[in-house]
């Protein structure tokens, strides 16, 4: 993520699930908007969400599950990167709806008995003049959500009481920073009944992506790649970092990114999460851009390091090639059953064995030089659930080795997104140039 002199910017973009293969002139994340749906107007994959709900209830056996949706953000008080509504992950995972102030109630009376009810607040046309369209408790919501029973939120308490009686088991609710302010969740949690945290169950499901999730991630990654290439081709010595950031994010937005996956990061020289992006680049600088797009509520995570003038120096290339070799060694070992910790060890061993004197008296795997982990899962969060779990087909991770030499103000990081398959790994971000030669070729097209 750093090479000195170096500049870094970070951005994420997400594609929609129902995107069709775009023509060369169409945005990567293009999809057909459903006007009756709030938010992005992206139709949920009702088969995928129904399968997730069935999978959850089969794990529970008997019991009830109550999941709240997110609320409107207070733009007078919240300092948010984007001012649009973003659904809470657990509610989205089981519905793919971007509606607000809703509740999902699922009841299982055995592994083959599942009842699902969606609760929505009544529509308020006068309020919608300010907030935009909302879903209401009607047949339109039932049709678009794929959930047959849709009721107003004022009937939730009665239906929850019935569900608890019929299920004869515990009530599962998500207990996290989002729900700790939900009065209904708090009352259930401290009401003396058998109430359990839903998150360990949903996290175990989310750690392995289904086909719908992988499709969304592919769009997000492809949009992110387009932004990185746009930044490379815009780069010139003397540009300010915010100009590179603008080129990067323009590449995301022009390809229909929903939003940034995380704030744009330029690791200031050897500062990993520097995001001020105000420095002016100089001839000879390396630029480290850690950025990705979110699409369909799933985010990529890509980092590229390149010379602002389009040509690596021999010293920069030597450090870069060592980082690239460590990343490739880790990728070659990706397979089901491996863990991120094991891959981290493989990458560090490669650096140790190939360092020579590149990092002075220390080998380049030293914790002061390669001072972060090799990677992490991605999904609805850029640091997604399942970090310590052995990989399975459908796990999606990043591989991001780096070398940061503070005394030289020199840093390099390469980060790619990888899908674990039954036989190994697949580079999802292969469209972004990885080698020094490929990067220089792209930059010569400026």
């Amino acid at each position: 993520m750093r090479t000195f002199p170096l500049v870094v910017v970070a951005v994420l973009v997400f594609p929609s699930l129902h995107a069709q293969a775009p023509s060369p002139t169409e945005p990567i994340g293009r999809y057909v908007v459903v006007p009756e749906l709030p938010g992005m107007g992206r139709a949920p994959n009702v088969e995928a969400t129904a399968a997730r709900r069935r999978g959850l209830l089969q794990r529970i056996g008997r019991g009830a599950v109550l999941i709240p949706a997110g609320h409107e953000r207070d733009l007078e008080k919240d300092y948010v990167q984007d001012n649009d509504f973003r659904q809470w992950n657990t509610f989205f995972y089981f519905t793919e709806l971007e509606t607000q102030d809703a509740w999902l109630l699922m009841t299982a009376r055995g592994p083959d008995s599942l009842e699902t009810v969606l609760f929505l607040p009544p529509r308020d046309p006068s309020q919608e003049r300010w907030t935009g369209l909302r879903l209401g408790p009607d047949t339109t919501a039932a049709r678009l959500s794929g959930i047959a029973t849709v009721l107003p939120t004022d009937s939730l308490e009665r239906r929850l009481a019935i569900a608890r009686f019929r299920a004869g088991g515990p009530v599962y609710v998500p207990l996290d920073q989002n729900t700790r302010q939900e009065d209904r969740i708090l009352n259930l949690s401290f009401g003396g009944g058998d109430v359990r945290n839903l998150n360990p169950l949903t996290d175990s499901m989310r750690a392995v992506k289904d086909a719908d999730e992988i499709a969304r991630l592919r769009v997000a990654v492809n949009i992110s790649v387009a932004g990185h290439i746009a930044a490379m081709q815009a780069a010139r010595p003397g540009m300010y970092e915010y100009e590179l950031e603008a080129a990067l994010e323009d590449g995301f937005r022009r390809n229909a990114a929903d939003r940034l996956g995380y704030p744009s990061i330029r690791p200031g020289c050897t500062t990993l999460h520097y995001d001020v992006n105000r420095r002016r680049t100089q001839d000879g600088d390396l630029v480290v851009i850690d950025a990705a797009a979110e699409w369909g509520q799933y985010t990529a995570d890509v980092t590229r390091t390149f010379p602002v003038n389009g040509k690596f120096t021999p010293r920069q290339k030597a450090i870069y090639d060592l980082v690239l070799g460590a990343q490739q060694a880790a990728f070659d070992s990706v397979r089901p059953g491996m863990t991120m910790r094991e891959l981290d060890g493989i990458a560090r061993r490669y650096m140790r064995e190939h360092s020579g004197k590149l990092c002075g008296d220390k080998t380049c795997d030293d914790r002061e030089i390669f001072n972060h982990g090799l990677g992490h899962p991605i999904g609805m969060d850029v640091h997604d659930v399942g970090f310590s779990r052995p990989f399975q087909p459908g796990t999606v991770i990043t591989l991001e080795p780096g070398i940061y030499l503070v005394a030289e103000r020199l840093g390099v990081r390469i980060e790619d997104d990888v899908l674990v398959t039954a036989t190994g790994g697949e580079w999802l971000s292969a469209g972004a140039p990885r080698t020094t030669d490929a990067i220089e070729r792209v930059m010569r097209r400026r």
Side-chain angles (χ1 to χ4, degrees), residues 248-322:
L248 174 79
E249 296 184 6
D250 179 70
F252 293 163
R253 295 297 189 181
R254 286 182 181 275
N255 282 290
D258 291 351
R259 56 179 70 86
L260 305 182
Y262 48 88
S264 299
I265 300 171
R266 170 231 179 245
C269 300
T270 51
T271 304
L272 297 183
H273 283 176
Y274 167 90
D275 61 1
V276 176
N277 296 339
R278 288 295 180 270
R279 177 177 168 270
R280 190 173 189 176
T281 64
Q282 304 295 322
D283 192 21
D285 281 2
L286 282 181
V287 175
V288 178
I289 295 185
D290 182 352
E294 179 178 308
W295 189 93
Q297 195 133 335
Y298 286 74
T299 185
D301 190 2
V302 179
T303 303
R304 284 296 182 267
T305 302
F306 57 90
V308 71
N309 64 9
K311 185 68 175 178
F312 287 90
T313 68
R315 172 67 170 159
Q316 291 168 349
K317 185 178 187 301
I319 296 295
Y320 188 101
D321 286 346
L322 179 59

Side-chain angles (χ1 to χ4, degrees), residues 13-19 28 45 48-49 52 92-93 96 205-224 293-301 377-380 384 392-397 417-422 424-429:
V13 180
F14 254 53
S16 117
L17 175 62
H18 298 285
I28 294 168
N45 185 328
T49 53
R52 293 170 197 162
F92 188 87
Y93 184 70
E96 291 186 0
M205 296 175 66
R206 285 178 50 200
V208 179
K209 274 51 179 178
D210 60 29
D212 173 82
E213 295 178 283
I214 292 170
R216 291 169 184 262
L217 280 166
R218 288 185 187 279
V219 180
V221 171
N222 289 340
I223 293 172
S224 302
E294 179 178 308
W295 189 93
Q297 195 133 335
Y298 286 74
T299 185
D301 190 2
I378 58 172
M380 282 191 279
D384 209 41
Q392 299 179 55
T395 301
V396 183
I397 60 172
D417 302 334
V418 174
L419 169 66
V420 179
T421 70
E426 176 190 344
W427 293 111
L428 296 181
S429 49

Side-chain angles (χ1 to χ4, degrees), residues 342-405:
E342 289 173 312
L343 291 186
D344 183 272
I346 290 168
R348 290 180 184 279
R349 183 167 61 251
Y350 181 93
M351 280 193 184
R352 183 166 59 251
E353 293 174 352
H354 295 81
S355 289
K357 293 297 183 180
L358 279 177
C359 296
D361 294 335
K362 298 179 178 179
T363 56
C364 296
D365 65 306
D366 186 272
R367 293 287 176 178
E368 292 185 5
I369 296 172
F370 178 10
N371 58 1
H372 56 75
L374 178 68
H376 52 81
I378 58 172
M380 282 191 279
D381 292 324
V382 66
H383 291 164
D384 209 41
V385 298
F387 179 85
S388 60
R389 298 172 62 91
F391 303 153
Q392 299 179 55
T395 301
V396 183
I397 60 172
T398 68
L399 296 177
E400 49 176 311
I403 291 176
Y404 314 100
L405 302 172

Side-chain angles (χ1 to χ4, degrees), residues 39-357:
M40 301 290 175
R42 182 180 290 113
N45 185 328
V46 297
E47 293 182 0
T49 53
R52 293 170 197 162
R53 294 193 295 267
R54 289 194 302 270
L56 174 65
L57 273 298
Q58 287 171 356
R59 294 176 183 224
I60 289 173
R62 297 187 68 89
V65 177
L66 182 64
I67 303 172
H71 306 296
E72 184 80 37
R73 290 191 281 190
D74 186 345
L75 300 184
E76 301 297 327
K77 298 178 181 178
D78 296 338
Y79 294 89
V80 293
Q81 186 179 356
D82 290 285
N83 61 8
D84 60 307
F85 170 75
R86 188 183 190 277
Q87 186 59 272
W88 289 349
N89 287 342
T90 305
F91 188 88
F92 188 87
Y93 184 70
F94 291 110
T95 68
E96 291 186 0
L97 294 174
E98 295 180 284
T99 192
Q100 302 171 13
D101 303 320
W103 292 81
L104 182 69
L105 176 63
M106 297 180 281
T107 310
R109 296 188 295 276
D112 299 319
S113 172
L114 168 62
E115 179 182 1
T116 304
V117 184
L118 176 66
F119 296 88
L120 296 170
R123 294 184 61 183
D124 183 347
S126 63
Q127 183 67 18
E128 288 182 15
R129 296 180 63 184
W130 295 88
T131 62
L133 178 74
R134 296 287 186 265
L135 275 182
D138 52 30
T139 56
T140 298
R143 173 174 56 86
L144 295 175
S145 68
I147 298 172
T149 306
V150 182
L151 300 175
T153 49
D154 60 11
S155 62
L156 173 56
E157 294 299 339
R158 182 178 64 85
R159 291 298 295 252
L160 176 59
I162 293 172
R164 298 183 73 177
F165 174 77
R166 288 179 176 175
V171 177
Y172 293 85
V173 294
L175 299 174
D176 50 41
Q177 61 181 3
N178 291 326
T179 61
R180 63 186 177 189
Q181 301 298 324
E182 290 285 341
D183 289 341
R184 184 172 280 111
I185 299 293
L186 293 175
N187 291 338
L188 280 171
S189 300
F190 296 101
D194 187 358
V195 178
R196 303 180 187 181
N197 188 1
L198 176 65
N199 290 343
L201 286 171
T202 56
D203 288 356
S204 68
M205 296 175 66
R206 285 178 50 200
V208 179
K209 274 51 179 178
D210 60 29
D212 173 82
E213 295 178 283
I214 292 170
R216 291 169 184 262
L217 280 166
R218 288 185 187 279
V219 180
V221 171
N222 289 340
I223 293 172
S224 302
V225 167
H228 278 271
I229 291 174
M232 290 180 187
Q233 295 183 334
R236 300 289 189 284
M239 290 182 71
Y240 286 91
E241 293 168 350
Y242 53 77
E243 294 180 280
L244 279 171
E245 182 179 9
L248 174 79
E249 296 184 6
D250 179 70
F252 293 163
R253 295 297 189 181
R254 286 182 181 275
N255 282 290
D258 291 351
R259 56 179 70 86
L260 305 182
Y262 48 88
S264 299
I265 300 171
R266 170 231 179 245
C269 300
T270 51
T271 304
L272 297 183
H273 283 176
Y274 167 90
D275 61 1
V276 176
N277 296 339
R278 288 295 180 270
R279 177 177 168 270
R280 190 173 189 176
T281 64
Q282 304 295 322
D283 192 21
D285 281 2
L286 282 181
V287 175
V288 178
I289 295 185
D290 182 352
E294 179 178 308
W295 189 93
Q297 195 133 335
Y298 286 74
T299 185
D301 190 2
V302 179
T303 303
R304 284 296 182 267
T305 302
F306 57 90
V308 71
N309 64 9
K311 185 68 175 178
F312 287 90
T313 68
R315 172 67 170 159
Q316 291 168 349
K317 185 178 187 301
I319 296 295
Y320 188 101
D321 286 346
L322 179 59
V323 175
L324 183 66
Q327 187 196 45
Q328 186 67 49
F331 175 82
D332 291 342
S333 298
V334 170
R335 63 180 183 276
M338 290 290 289
T339 66
M340 188 60 70
R341 181 183 295 273
E342 289 173 312
L343 291 186
D344 183 272
I346 290 168
R348 290 180 184 279
R349 183 167 61 251
Y350 181 93
M351 280 193 184
R352 183 166 59 251
E353 293 174 352
H354 295 81
S355 289
K357 293 297 183 180

